[in-house]
């Protein structure tokens, strides 16, 4: 059980030995910290030497860049629940001691505020003698307090006894390693671009390396609406303002001395091809060609080429067959499918049981197949499309009202309503369509309520109301939760044309007359997608069902 929400991990091992220690150190830290883990690097820091150590600048070297990548990669593997942030305030070309709190060459003339207040400080410092433990923890507390704003009584934990690693490094070996360290070329102004949806290890690596390279200004282009159209599950991408806010917070923690500029990216180039001050663009193997294209455009604009600094992609050890091998936002979005994205409202006017799911989505999105799967798991399905047919039957309350409103010429020979003829009367006429829905939607809602009452009398625990117009009709008051199923528009058009035999143009018109995926997702508690193979959908539905059972069990009485 984790004991602290936020912690700072002070890594003291030499850079060339740290790669061997990262996994056990992070694993140990993850047992104590549950939300945010800041990482402060001070290779060679001696916490047991008798005198109180002060923070110093450490130079940006290739080994440090490699270590940052390794840290985020290992963190994704062994403690993916943690928001790990490698701090770079004390990384600068100048490497000088700090003789006083106000000294100009001190990385922390005053303690740096962090966006999450640290509750514990951890370290990998190796104890030579267990009797030193109290002295070292006190020294660690003072050192951390000199660097960051934290409580004077902040808890401190030595991770070394738990690691059981014996990495003895002689002073002359450490000195040799420092002398051989290859410096990283730094630049005044650095630029990157991306979506930056739900900051993950690969984003953080890109941002940290960019901060390592940038001395003055860091310019970030963040994809806006025009650049999101082809993204997988684009409806689940966080709003632009949220992504920008999270970037600002992260970078303020990482390197507050940098001038950070974040601009919307409406095309693949943005200001990278017009800003004369830029010197370097950070790319990956995947985006290198994009960086080369930027330089071609800059040449056309009479601007000097940018240095392309390439970083490696981070492998995702937890990816599934339908996900990318690299750590990516699209994989993270796919893992949200079937989970609770937004807590349900308290519907005290509804009976606690059966618990009612309102399932909706655009035409062709796979609502019926998902309903069948939920029925197989024990839910009672209520098909509003079938109920819609019932309200048009002769003898029903709405039958005569529809005839009065739209005329007898919509009748078949057997006196049933010809829904195609009725459809032609309301097609493209918003006023007439509203007249029709004002008649039939309340009647369908009454039939749904009757079905729910019947399920309650039979002792059923879960019902699924399958309704394409759930949101438009305002039927959310009938359900405890809203589940939305989405697929891309082009896939929906293909399915509709194959299923209903209509043209692609008519299929597209039908979709555009409905609420968009994005608008429906705004109201969703759970989102599903039938875009992939049926087995993938089954796993989503099973995940959603199992999480639902837990929610039902954990509800307070009477809700």
């Amino acid at each position: 059980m984790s004991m602290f929400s936020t912690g700072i991990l002070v890594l003291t091992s030499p850079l060339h030995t740290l790669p061997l220690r990262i996994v056990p150190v992070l694993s140990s830290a993850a047992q104590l910290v549950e939300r945010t883990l800041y990482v402060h690097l001070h290779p060679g820091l001696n916490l047991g030497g008798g005198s109180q150590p002060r923070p110093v600048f450490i130079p940006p070297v290739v080994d440090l860049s490699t270590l940052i990548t390794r840290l985020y990669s290992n963190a994704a593997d062994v403690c993916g629940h943690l928001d790990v942030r490698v701090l770079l305030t004390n990384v600068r070309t100048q490497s000088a001691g700090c003789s006083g709190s106000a000294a100009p060459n001190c990385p922390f003339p005053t303690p740096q505020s962090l966006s999450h207040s640290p509750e514990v400080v951890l370290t990998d410092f190796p104890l030579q003698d267990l009797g030193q433990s109290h002295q070292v923890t006190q020294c660690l507390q003072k050192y951390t307090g000199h660097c960051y704003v934290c409580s004077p009584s902040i808890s401190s934990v030595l991770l070394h006894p738990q690691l059981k690693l014996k990495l003895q490094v002689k002073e002359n070996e450490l000195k040799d390693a420092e002398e051989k360290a290859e410096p990283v070329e730094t630049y005044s102004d650095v630029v990157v671009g991306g979506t930056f949806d739900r900051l993950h290890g690969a984003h953080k690596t890109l941002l940290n390396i960019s901060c390592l390279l940038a001395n003055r200004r860091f310019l970030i282009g963040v994809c806006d609406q025009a650049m999101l159209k082809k993204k997988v599950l684009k409806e689940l991408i966080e709003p632009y303002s949220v992504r920008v806010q999270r970037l600002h917070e992260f970078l303020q923690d990482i390197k507050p001395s940098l001038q950070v500029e974040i601009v919307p990216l409406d095309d693949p180039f943005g200001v990278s091809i017009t800003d004369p001050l830029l010197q370097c663009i950070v790319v990956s193997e995947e985006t290198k060609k994009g960086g080369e294209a930027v330089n071609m455009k800059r040449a056309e604009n009479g601007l000097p080429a940018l240095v392309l600094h390439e970083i490696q992609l981070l492998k995702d050890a937890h990816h599934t067959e339908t996900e990318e091998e690299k750590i990516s936002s699209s994989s993270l979005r796919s893992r949200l499918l079937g989970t609770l994205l937004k807590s349900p409202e308290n519907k005290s006017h509804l009976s606690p049981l059966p618990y009612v799911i309102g399932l909706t989505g655009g035409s062709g999105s796979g609502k019926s197949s998902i309903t069948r799967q939920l029925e197989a798991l024990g839910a009672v399905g209520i098909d509003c499309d079938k109920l819609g047919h019932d309200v048009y039957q002769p003898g029903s309350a709405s039958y005569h009202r529809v005839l009065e409103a739209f005329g007898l010429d919509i009748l078949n020979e057997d006196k049933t309503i010809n829904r195609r003829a009725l459809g032609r009367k309301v097609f493209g006429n918003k006023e007439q369509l509203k007249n029709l829905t004002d008649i039939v939607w309340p009647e369908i809602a009454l039939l749904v309520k009757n079905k729910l009452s019947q399920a309650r009398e039979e002792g059923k625990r879960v019902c699924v109301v399958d309704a394409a117009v759930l949101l438009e009709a305002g039927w959310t008051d009938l359900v405890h939760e809203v589940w939305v199923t989405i697929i891309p528009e082009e896939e929906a058009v293909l399915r509709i044309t194959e299923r209903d035999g209509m043209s692609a143009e008519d299929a597209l018109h039908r979709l555009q007359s409905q609420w968009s995926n994005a608008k429906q997702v705004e109201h969703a508690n759970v989102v599903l997608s039938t875009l992939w193979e049926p087995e993938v959908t089954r796993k989503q539905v099973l995940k959603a069902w199992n999480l639902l059972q837990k929610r039902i069990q954990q509800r307070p009485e009477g809700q």
Side-chain angles (χ1 to χ4, degrees):
M1 182 69 181
S2 299
M3 296 189 295
F4 304 98
S5 175
T6 304
I8 297 179
L9 172 60
V10 178
L11 292 178
T12 66
S13 301
L15 282 178
H16 65 288
T17 66
L18 260 174
L20 299 173
R21 305 173 66 92
I22 292 174
V23 169
V25 167
L26 288 175
S27 298
S28 295
Q31 294 174 25
L32 298 168
V33 178
E34 61 183 357
R35 188 179 70 172
T36 306
L37 181 66
Y38 292 110
V39 179
H40 173 92
L41 297 165
H42 190 146
L45 176 66
N46 185 0
L47 294 170
S51 59
Q52 180 63 43
R54 292 283 189 170
V56 296
F57 282 111
I58 60 174
V61 294
V62 172
D63 282 354
L64 182 60
S65 175
T66 304
L67 175 67
I68 289 170
T69 303
R70 179 77 69 93
L71 264 165
Y72 283 122
S73 178
N74 289 156
D77 290 348
V78 302
C79 54
H81 67 288
L82 281 182
D83 176 6
V84 176
R85 305 183 180 193
V86 182
L87 304 172
L88 299 177
T89 301
N90 63 324
V91 178
R92 203 166 83 183
T93 306
Q94 175 186 2
S95 180
C98 177
S99 57
S101 60
N105 60 351
C106 175
F108 300 96
T110 58
Q112 176 185 337
S113 292
L114 297 170
S115 55
H116 303 286
S117 182
E119 299 168 6
V120 64
V121 56
L122 318 164
T123 187
D124 67 338
F125 180 75
L127 282 179
Q128 304 300 323
D129 177 4
L130 288 178
Q132 284 185 301
S133 180
H134 180 67
Q135 174 193 338
V136 170
T137 54
Q138 280 197 320
C139 188
L140 177 62
Q141 287 173 331
K142 290 179 181 177
Y143 175 87
T144 308
H146 191 88
C147 301
Y148 305 102
V149 175
C150 48
S151 168
S153 59
I154 187 170
S155 300
S156 57
V157 177
L158 307 182
L159 296 177
H160 182 74
Q162 300 163 264
L163 302 179
K164 297 178 182 176
L165 285 179
K166 295 182 179 179
L167 292 174
Q168 300 295 333
V169 182
K170 297 178 182 178
E171 285 189 20
N172 60 340
E173 292 177 354
L174 178 58
K175 188 176 181 181
D176 288 344
E178 289 176 349
E179 289 175 353
K180 292 176 184 175
E182 181 184 347
V184 168
E185 185 74 27
T186 60
Y187 308 90
S188 173
D189 295 56
V190 174
V191 64
V192 299
T195 307
F196 297 104
D197 178 38
R198 294 175 173 82
L199 287 184
H200 51 64
H203 290 142
K204 292 174 182 178
T205 301
L206 173 66
L207 294 168
N208 264 96
I209 299 301
S210 299
C211 287
L212 192 69
L213 301 174
N215 293 323
R216 186 183 76 90
R217 181 176 64 131
F218 183 21
L219 178 62
I220 308 171
V222 176
C223 294
D224 208 354
Q225 291 301 320
M227 293 289 289
L228 302 178
K229 291 180 179 178
K230 294 185 179 179
K231 297 287 185 183
V232 176
L233 299 172
K234 63 180 182 292
E235 298 85 0
L236 296 181
I237 294 176
E238 295 172 310
Y240 175 84
S241 60
V242 172
R243 288 178 280 140
V244 168
Q245 186 272 327
R246 289 187 176 165
L247 277 171
H248 273 301
E249 179 195 286
F250 180 82
L251 294 167
Q252 182 64 26
D253 278 344
I254 298 307
K255 195 171 180 179
S257 62
L258 272 185
Q259 176 188 331
V260 173
E261 293 179 22
I262 301 178
V263 296
L265 199 56
D266 295 312
D267 61 63
F269 303 107
V271 295
S272 67
I273 61 173
T274 58
D275 191 322
L277 299 178
L278 294 174
Q279 296 177 330
C280 172
I281 184 169
V282 184
V283 297
S284 66
E285 179 184 353
E286 192 178 66
T287 60
K288 187 176 181 180
K289 287 186 177 179
E292 292 169 348
V294 165
N295 276 339
M296 290 177 64
K297 290 284 187 181
R298 284 181 70 88
E300 292 172 10
N301 293 337
L303 296 174
L306 302 178
V307 173
L308 268 60
H309 184 98
E310 185 177 341
I311 62 171
Q312 66 184 78
L313 294 169
L314 299 192
K315 298 290 184 182
D316 186 348
H318 307 291
H319 77 278
T320 65
E321 290 182 5
T322 60
E323 297 172 349
E324 297 180 89
E325 289 187 10
K326 65 171 185 175
I327 294 176
S328 72
S329 297
S330 59
S331 294
L332 295 183
R333 290 194 293 276
S334 71
R335 291 170 198 173
L336 292 174
L337 297 173
T339 67
L340 189 66
L341 300 181
K342 183 171 63 176
S343 296
E345 296 176 16
N346 182 6
K347 304 281 184 72
S348 56
H349 64 282
L350 295 180
S351 173
L353 291 177
Y355 196 84
V356 187
I357 301 301
L359 178 64
T360 191
S363 186
S365 62
K367 294 184 297 297
S368 298
S369 65
I370 288 174
T371 298
R372 287 193 294 271
Q373 291 178 47
L374 289 169
E375 287 174 331
L377 290 168
V380 174
I382 299 174
D383 187 340
C384 288
D385 190 47
K386 288 182 179 178
L387 297 181
H389 282 83
D390 292 344
V391 301
Y392 288 106
Q393 294 304 311
S396 67
S398 54
Y399 175 81
H400 298 291
R401 292 181 61 196
V402 169
L403 293 182
E404 287 174 11
F406 296 96
L408 297 177
D409 57 331
I410 62 171
L411 286 176
N412 294 312
E413 290 183 6
D414 61 359
K415 302 301 181 183
T416 59
I417 291 175
N418 184 324
R419 294 182 68 183
R420 284 185 179 273
L422 178 59
R424 285 193 291 270
K425 290 203 172 191
V426 301
F427 183 77
N429 188 322
K430 289 185 178 180
E431 185 179 345
Q432 287 285 67
L433 180 60
K434 186 177 186 306
N435 288 339
L436 178 61
T437 57
D438 282 349
I439 295 171
V440 299
W441 281 355
E443 294 299 321
I444 296 173
L446 283 175
L447 294 178
V448 171
K449 289 178 181 178
N450 292 338
K451 293 282 187 181
L452 293 175
S453 295
Q454 181 182 341
R456 183 165 54 253
E457 290 170 5
E458 294 172 357
K460 303 298 184 183
R461 284 180 54 79
V462 179
C463 288
V464 180
V465 177
D466 176 351
V469 295
L470 181 84
L471 300 173
E472 295 96 317
W475 294 341
T476 52
D477 278 350
L478 301 176
V479 304
H480 293 92
E481 292 184 17
V482 174
W483 291 15
V484 172
T485 176
I486 59 174
I487 56 171
E489 187 178 81
E490 56 271 21
E491 175 65 20
V493 168
L494 284 174
R495 293 184 185 184
I496 295 169
T497 54
E498 290 177 6
R499 183 189 67 191
D500 300 341
M502 63 171 56
S503 68
E505 184 180 354
D506 287 344
L508 185 60
H509 193 281
R510 177 192 292 183
L511 288 171
Q512 291 173 344
S513 70
Q514 301 170 351
W515 278 24
S516 67
N517 283 346
K519 189 174 181 180
Q520 295 196 62
V521 167
E522 288 177 12
H523 297 265
N525 301 108
V526 174
V527 174
L528 302 161
S529 177
T530 61
L531 177 60
W532 299 278
E533 296 298 318
E535 181 57 30
V536 177
T537 305
R538 277 192 288 273
K539 288 179 180 178
Q540 287 176 33
V541 173
L542 184 59
K543 181 203 295 186
W545 177 262
N546 289 336
L547 291 173
L548 172 66
Q549 300 310 306
K550 291 180 181 177
R551 289 200 291 282
I552 293 174
Q553 292 170 7
Q554 293 168 359
R555 278 190 310 162
E557 276 191 43
Q559 287 189 22

